[in-house]
């Protein structure tokens, strides 16, 4: 299928862009409860789509549609400019449909995600978190992949059409050069090296997770080794029983 507007696609190229989506929910303070709030509403929550480490994603993401539970008035909420988020109050947990609409230059169809809204704490510390009225954060790291983008969108993704730089529209050099790596204009899809208070996704976090996995693997290997030794002992006892089965034991 030809790209819109007759634009040619950049063959053999895939460009990925990372982002995070999720929600935060807080119990409503009885002392600060708005007078017009429905009596059954227990939490205030916000659902969002944003860049990793709050990086700008509006150059490739045009708008975001959030589909809430049908019991909400106007359950379809459209955000056509950053911040891409919706804040509401309620009492129940449900799945929120998130539809990503890309900039017109992309020629790409919208993509749909699903996010389970969480209002209550879970796990071993749930009681403490509930008593301290801690906010409940649930978020996910995701990457959108643009395979063989059209020329105009390729330039936007790699910075050649960065509006913040005076609206330049040139390609900024050959597509055989650094532009294909997403380095033109300084834009990048790289995960940050270090984590920050607002962003847990980083190379450092990945390293920590790998270390935890290595420790867990060693524990599992040790458990397997122990169980094999136990099994070998049982098999030895069973073999001895087989040898003595039916034998006459003489009394002294």
């Amino acid at each position: 299928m030809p790209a819109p507007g007759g634009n040619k696609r950049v063959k053999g190229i895939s460009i990925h862009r990372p982002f995070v989506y999720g929600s935060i929910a807080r119990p409503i303070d009885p002392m600060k409860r708005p007078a017009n709030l429905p009596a059954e509403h227990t939490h205030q929550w916000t659902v969002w789509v944003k860049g990793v480490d709050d990086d700008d994603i509006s150059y490739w993401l045009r708008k975001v549609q959030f589909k809430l539970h049908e019991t909400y008035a106007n359950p379809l909420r459209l955000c056509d400019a950053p911040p891409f988020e919706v804040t509401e109050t309620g009492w129940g947990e449900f799945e929120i449909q998130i539809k990503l609409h890309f900039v017109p230059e992309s020629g790409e169809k919208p993509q749909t995600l699903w996010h389970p809204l969480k209002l209550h704490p879970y796990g071993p510390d749930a009681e403490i978190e509930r008593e301290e009225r801690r906010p409940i954060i649930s978020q996910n790291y995701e990457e959108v992949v643009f395979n063989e983008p059209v020329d105009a969108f390729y330039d936007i993704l790699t910075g050649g059409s960065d509006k913040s730089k005076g609206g330049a529209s040139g390609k900024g050099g050959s597509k055989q050069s650094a532009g294909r790596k997403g380095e033109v204009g300084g834009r990048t899809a790289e995960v940050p090296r270090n984590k920050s208070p607002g962003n847990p996704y980083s190379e450092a976090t990945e390293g920590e997770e790998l270390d935890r996995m290595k420790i867990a693997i060693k524990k599992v290997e040790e458990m397997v080794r122990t169980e094999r030794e136990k099994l070998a002992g049982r098999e030895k006892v069973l073999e001895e029983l087989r040898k003595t089965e039916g034998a006459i034991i003489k009394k002294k």
Side-chain angles (χ1 to χ4, degrees):
M1 181 177 178
N7 288 332
K8 294 182 179 179
R9 292 190 175 274
V10 183
K11 297 297 183 181
I13 292 296
S14 292
I15 297 179
H16 68 279
R17 286 293 176 264
F19 64 96
V20 291
Y21 66 98
S23 61
I24 181 171
R26 295 182 175 87
I28 296 173
D29 188 341
M31 304 302 294
K32 300 179 181 179
R33 186 181 184 88
N36 60 344
L37 195 66
E40 67 273 16
H41 285 202
T42 58
H43 290 74
Q44 181 181 67
W45 53 263
T46 300
V47 60
W48 70 77
V49 175
K50 61 183 180 180
V52 175
D53 218 11
D54 287 325
D55 287 343
D56 177 34
I57 58 174
S58 62
Y59 66 95
W60 57 265
L61 185 61
R62 175 64 183 86
K63 57 187 177 182
V64 178
Q65 176 183 279
F66 298 93
K67 185 177 181 180
L68 312 183
H69 195 271
E70 60 185 11
T71 54
Y72 281 90
N74 183 26
L76 289 179
R77 309 292 177 86
L78 186 64
C79 300
D80 55 9
F84 302 114
E85 62 181 41
V86 169
T87 297
E88 265 290 358
T89 61
W91 57 268
E93 299 180 333
F94 58 92
E95 274 200 317
I96 299 175
Q97 183 193 74
I98 302 174
K99 185 170 289 187
L100 308 179
H101 294 263
F102 306 111
V103 295
E105 295 88 344
S106 71
E108 302 283 346
K109 295 181 179 179
Q111 291 189 11
T112 301
L113 305 169
W114 293 90
H115 175 69
L117 176 65
K118 292 185 179 180
L119 303 182
H120 309 287
Y122 298 92
D125 298 327
E127 283 301 320
I128 297 176
E129 293 179 9
R130 189 176 292 108
E131 290 177 3
E132 296 181 354
R133 306 178 68 84
R134 296 181 189 175
I136 305 302
I137 300 174
S138 173
Q139 62 179 347
N140 298 278
Y141 172 91
E142 188 59 84
E143 292 182 358
V144 59
V145 179
F146 301 105
N147 290 314
E148 298 187 344
V150 297
D151 278 332
F153 190 43
Y154 172 91
D155 289 339
I156 291 174
L157 290 172
T158 56
S161 296
D162 194 341
K163 295 179 181 179
S164 65
K165 297 182 180 181
S169 59
K171 290 184 172 55
S174 170
K175 290 186 176 61
Q176 301 295 332
S177 61
R180 287 199 168 186
K181 298 179 182 179
E183 296 174 353
V184 176
R187 281 182 177 150
T188 176
E190 297 297 325
V191 176
R193 185 175 300 277
N194 298 309
K195 58 185 176 182
S196 61
N199 173 48
Y201 306 105
S202 66
E203 292 181 4
T205 306
E206 290 179 356
E208 292 171 1
E209 186 64 25
L210 288 173
D211 290 340
R212 284 193 290 269
M213 291 177 65
K214 289 177 182 177
I215 293 173
I217 289 172
K218 288 182 179 179
K219 288 183 179 179
V220 171
E221 290 175 343
E222 183 61 32
M223 293 172 63
V224 171
R225 188 180 304 109
T226 301
E227 291 301 318
R228 284 178 176 172
E229 292 175 355
K230 291 180 180 178
L231 179 60
R234 295 189 187 104
E235 290 178 343
K236 186 176 181 180
V237 172
L238 182 59
E239 185 62 28
E240 291 297 326
L241 290 173
R242 286 173 179 165
K243 290 179 180 179
T244 59
E245 184 179 358
I248 298 175
I249 300 177
K250 295 181 180 180
K251 295 182 179 180
K252 294 184 178 180

